[in-house]
Amino acid sequence: MADIESLLKESRTFKPESDFTRQANWNKKKTNEYRKLGETNPTKFWAQMAKQNVSWFTPWKKVLDWKPPFAKWFVGGKTNVSYNCLDRHLEGENSWRKNKAAIIWEGEPGDTRILTYSELHREVCKFANVLKSQGVKKGDRVCLYMPMVPELAIAMLACTRIGAPHSIVFGGFSADALRDRINDAEAKLVVTADGGYRKGAPFALKATVDKAVENTPSIESVVVVERTKQPIEFRTGRDIWWHEAMAEASTKCAPAKLDAEHPLFILYTSGTTGNPKGILHTTGGYLTHVTTTFKAIFDIKDDDVYWCTADIGWITGHSYVVYGPLAAGATTVMYEGTPTHPGPDRWWDLIEKWGVSIFYTAPTAIRTFIRLGDEHPKSHDLSSLRLLGSVGEPINPEAWMWYHRVIGGKRCPIVDTWWQTETGGIMISSIPGAVDTKPGSATKPFPGIEADIFDEEGNTVKGDAGGFLVLKHPWPGMLRGIWRDPKRFKETYWGTYDKTYFAGDGAHRDKNGYFWIMGRIDDVMNVSGHRIGTMEVESALVSSPDVAEAAVVGRPDEITGTAIVAFVSPKGTTTPDDALVGRLKQHVTKEIGAIARPTEIRFTNALPKTRSGKIMRRLLRDIASGKEVAGDTSTLEDFSVLAKLRESDED
Ligand code: PRX
């Protein structure tokens, strides 16, 4: 509650500057008209957007087929995502875009590549032919485990061209995590690279793939991009060099005419259990959602240089580095490496160098830069910027103000965008030329999105109040399911309230109808804007031979939002010492990846439990954040456990 109250003390309001409003893609009038239409007839609103923003080979017969919780959008319509992202910018009235930069890429060592729409089209057609030559057919899954290089975008678009759903696994995941994701999706082919660059040094990817594919019966071939030229093992018959295969491939490949509901991609995300969920997105609705929101919220113009700093391995990268921007014919910047390499001003240097006009990043990065000092952004000319965005976690008002003042020079509107892997595209956000902003609030739902706040019984909370964030009407970019697990899909998102999507976030709505997102209310932690299930880390810990039992909680952290704290009871024969802490951190890194590595590991003889055996996480959260243990403890199974934990806290 303290968080909610502190947010609500925020009363500053910022009106869009008239210079911005005048040129905005969506001004107040247009936004209000769309809002009205979205409220009275969301289906009609989205049909209008699908017509305006997406090119179709065959028009749909029915806009929405809604059999809760299963939705189909634009039923009977046929389209192709790569056609929308490429071909249509080379033809007819848009043909001038063929020589426009589609992707401006910069590698961490400073090497650069610019791909025009026409070049990108050729590369995508060639790689689509490579996939075909490897036996990949419509419907087959392709796993992409790559650094942030243009080949990743090329591979994604090539998959969409032939209707092979991709499953991108973030390059920071371990071999075990990669293996599990490949097996769940039963992918036929993996695309990877020898490695990539981070923090000034090459890291390896191919070696991780080699390890993962020892136990993935579905994988037939591995395509390897040469990026770092580090030595790798190459298995003839299974491994193929990207550049060798591309040299022989034809530049002609017609886009497959795919049903609007054809699977586009699977993306794994954390939930409250140990197993990641394969979130499934499909073609026509997703494309409509990301393209519409991209044009409206990022106010894109043909001469903009747009940069979203997310890694393509996360949903933000899928929707707003690749698909939204390219479908809109925009220039999208991709940067391979660490924000602070070779110096703490790398990002600001990139903005100045490429003349970035629209910049979209996460609060955790903003907080890191605040700590590094204003002199770094101030040593660069950031006057090309005209619009800023935030995503991934609540942005605290002070970080918002710094972003506004130091990066935006007080002239750039900020769009704080709330959405999820599951929603596919942005759901709650300011429209920069139309909506007044308040630091820390994502403002209002996008037109056609029916967001609400419920109490536990499923009633809308009245007036200035908080509760559970829900979505009451299907939307085009919504997940169509969890890969191979309809039961979990129903239970997780649709089991709490009738015919209503449960987002898992707490939120508050103020007297002006503005939404303030408070963060996760389930056992999912938001670390640096990435979701990690407490159960995932717990399963990793207990898979160590040293651990009897483990409980993981989040603790508020100034930079990353949440830090992972693990309470561990070691097995009888194991000594709880610093060496064990090191071993366990290493073990979690091996099982999941460095993103899930606990910040702190604390040992205890036994974990505090209720009489029914449930771990009392609330208590552990309080202990982890150094607070006094509050609330009722009468259901504790063993009071001495709590006392012991607190003693160790005082050490
Ligand atoms: O808790 C919310 C938080 O991130 C969660 C979704 O995480 P993920 O699926 O990884 O997608 C992140 C990028 C879209 C949400 O349930 N979140 C995301 N954006 C915001 C946010 N919390 C507050 N404000 C936001 N703008």
Side-chain angles (χ1 to χ4, degrees):
M1 284 309 280
D3 280 352
I4 312 167
E5 278 158 19
S6 72
L7 280 174
L8 286 175
K9 284 199 196 103
E10 183 53 60
S11 56
R12 289 169 284 199
T13 301
F14 293 81
K15 288 196 185 313
E17 300 276 338
S18 55
D19 282 357
F20 193 98
T21 315
R22 256 194 301 278
Q23 59 80 61
N25 286 352
W26 283 29
N27 57 21
K28 216 171 210 160
K29 185 162 167 277
K30 193 166 181 175
T31 304
N32 288 342
E33 275 170 25
Y34 282 150
R35 259 200 222 298
K36 213 170 263 163
L37 177 60
E39 272 162 30
T40 49
N41 195 342
T43 318
K44 191 167 167 197
F45 167 77
W46 285 114
Q48 236 179 48
M49 294 302 116
K51 250 186 218 149
Q52 260 176 39
N53 297 322
V54 172
S55 305
W56 299 83
F57 300 126
T58 311
W60 58 85
K61 292 202 175 68
K62 192 174 178 193
V63 183
L64 171 65
D65 176 23
W66 178 221
K67 296 193 178 69
F70 299 102
K72 289 183 185 158
W73 282 87
F74 310 117
V75 184
K78 287 195 191 293
T79 185
N80 180 287
V81 170
S82 89
Y83 177 85
N84 275 273
C85 291
L86 301 167
D87 306 58
R88 66 170 172 164
H89 306 308
L90 313 176
E91 309 165 343
E93 59 177 23
N94 290 326
S95 66
W96 66 270
R97 282 201 189 116
K98 62 178 182 271
N99 294 324
K100 173 178 174 174
I103 296 176
I104 295 179
W105 175 83
E106 182 154 327
E108 197 185 69
D111 45 341
T112 62
R113 270 173 79 188
I114 296 178
L115 283 130
T116 63
Y117 272 95
S118 153
E119 287 175 293
L120 185 59
H121 176 261
R122 271 199 302 278
E123 295 299 297
V124 167
C125 288
K126 284 198 306 191
F127 196 65
N129 286 325
V130 171
L131 289 173
K132 284 188 193 169
S133 72
Q134 292 304 314
V136 176
K137 296 193 186 60
K138 181 172 148 183
D140 288 343
R141 275 80 59 205
V142 173
C143 175
L144 310 179
Y145 182 70
M146 298 172 77
M148 281 284 282
V149 290
E151 285 82 358
L152 173 50
I154 294 168
M156 293 164 81
L157 290 161
C159 287
T160 73
R161 200 155 186 92
I162 64 172
H166 56 69
S167 161
I168 306 185
V169 179
F170 171 62
F173 279 114
S174 67
D176 292 359
L178 174 63
R179 175 201 61 209
D180 293 347
R181 285 159 176 75
I182 289 175
N183 285 337
D184 189 73
E186 293 173 291
K188 195 165 186 176
L189 181 144
V190 191
V191 187
T192 189
D194 45 4
Y197 288 97
R198 264 200 98 70
K199 297 187 185 161
F203 65 90
L205 285 172
K206 175 63 165 58
T208 314
V209 172
D210 288 341
K211 192 148 177 284
V213 301
E214 278 168 17
N215 292 302
T216 57
S218 59
I219 291 293
E220 292 173 10
S221 23
V222 177
V223 180
V224 189
V225 173
E226 189 173 49
R227 165 71 187 128
T228 60
K229 299 196 164 61
Q230 62 193 286
I232 58 164
E233 285 194 20
F234 205 81
R235 176 149 353 138
T236 318
R238 183 196 69 191
D239 298 349
I240 302 141
W241 281 112
W242 172 287
H243 56 274
E244 287 179 5
M246 289 290 268
E248 290 167 14
S250 153
T251 54
K252 300 227 161 19
C253 176
K257 294 182 174 158
L258 301 172
D259 277 332
E261 283 299 334
H262 186 75
L264 177 64
F265 65 81
I266 301 165
L267 180 59
Y268 288 86
T269 190
S270 300
T272 50
T273 76
N275 296 333
K277 306 175 273 197
I279 303 299
L280 175 67
H281 285 288
T282 60
T283 301
Y286 171 84
L287 188 61
T288 301
H289 188 161
V290 299
T291 312
T292 305
T293 49
F294 182 72
K295 288 184 178 175
I297 295 167
F298 295 107
D299 191 50
I300 198 77
K301 304 289 190 307
D302 260 309
D303 58 358
D304 273 312
V305 177
Y306 162 88
W307 181 22
C308 165
T309 64
D311 190 287
I312 291 177
W314 310 112
I315 190 68
T316 308
H318 285 59
S319 302
Y320 299 107
V321 175
V322 179
Y323 292 127
L326 296 179
T331 296
T332 181
V333 174
M334 257 176 96
Y335 168 59
E336 178 189 34
T338 319
T340 50
H341 185 83
D345 63 338
R346 183 65 183 272
W347 275 11
W348 320 123
D349 179 54
L350 283 166
I351 290 176
E352 180 173 0
K353 175 173 176 184
W354 297 110
V356 172
S357 53
I358 303 170
F359 181 64
Y360 188 30
T361 193
T364 184
I366 297 168
R367 289 190 296 266
T368 304
F369 284 113
I370 294 176
R371 179 170 281 190
L372 290 171
D374 294 8
E375 64 272 25
H376 306 298
K378 283 191 172 151
S379 68
H380 289 277
D381 177 5
L382 304 182
S383 61
S384 57
L385 289 172
R386 66 180 194 91
L387 174 61
L388 304 173
S390 171
V391 62
E393 53 181 311
I395 177 162
N396 46 308
E398 287 329 303
W400 195 102
M401 288 305 299
W402 183 88
Y403 199 28
H404 167 73
R405 203 180 64 245
V406 180
I407 307 306
K410 298 191 187 159
R411 67 180 183 281
C412 304
I414 296 181
V415 289
D416 175 4
T417 62
W418 176 85
W419 57 297
Q420 308 178 297
T421 304
E422 291 87 342
T423 70
I426 297 169
M427 304 295 279
I428 303 179
S429 168
S430 154
I431 307 286
V435 177
D436 298 354
T437 50
K438 302 184 190 188
S441 168
T443 77
K444 296 192 173 183
F446 193 75
I449 299 297
E450 212 184 319
D452 200 355
I453 299 177
F454 275 6
D455 64 16
E456 283 188 356
E457 279 77 50
N459 305 306
T460 296
V461 300
K462 294 274 180 318
D464 199 341
F468 304 108
L469 183 59
V470 298
L471 301 162
K472 299 200 291 195
H473 189 274
W475 65 98
M478 72 189 256
L479 76 165
R480 298 304 195 262
I482 295 177
W483 188 252
R484 295 200 315 192
D485 202 346
K487 188 165 159 269
R488 191 170 173 199
F489 170 63
K490 285 186 194 165
E491 284 170 4
T492 310
Y493 305 108
W494 309 93
T496 312
Y497 303 119
D498 188 35
K499 299 186 184 107
T500 297
Y501 175 88
F502 181 72
D505 280 338
H508 189 109
R509 186 170 34 206
D510 70 16
K511 58 184 190 310
N512 307 116
Y514 277 50
F515 284 68
W516 301 76
I517 311 297
M518 287 138 48
R520 304 295 307 177
I521 42 109
D522 52 19
D523 289 328
V524 176
M525 301 169 288
N526 190 327
V527 182
S528 297
H530 300 130
R531 274 157 60 175
I532 298 165
T534 52
M535 272 288 290
E536 267 172 283
V537 186
E538 284 166 10
S539 328
L541 284 166
V542 295
S543 73
S544 151
D546 292 319
V547 175
E549 215 178 11
V552 167
V553 295
R555 175 186 73 201
D557 182 273
E558 234 177 79
I559 301 287
T560 59
T562 307
I564 302 176
V565 180
F567 292 87
V568 170
S569 348
K571 288 215 174 118
T573 49
T574 305
T575 326
D577 55 11
D578 285 352
L580 181 59
V581 168
R583 275 208 307 283
L584 292 179
K585 287 187 178 178
Q586 197 46 41
H587 184 73
V588 175
T589 308
K590 178 188 155 287
E591 292 288 312
I592 308 174
I595 37 167
R597 188 184 157 96
T599 308
E600 199 183 320
I601 291 181
R602 294 158 76 143
F603 297 112
T604 167
N605 286 333
L607 292 164
K609 289 183 189 162
T610 61
R611 286 181 213 287
S612 64
K614 271 180 116 180
I615 293 172
M616 300 186 80
R617 287 171 191 285
R618 180 170 52 82
L619 292 177
L620 294 177
R621 267 195 289 268
D622 283 352
I623 295 168
S625 52
K627 273 192 247 161
E628 272 302 296
V629 174
D632 178 23
T633 56
S634 60
T635 47
L636 254 189
E637 186 193 57
D638 178 1
F639 289 94
S640 66
V641 170
L642 180 58
K644 275 190 200 124
L645 280 166
R646 295 183 69 193
E647 265 164 38
S648 76
D649 195 29
E650 280 152 16
D651 282 345

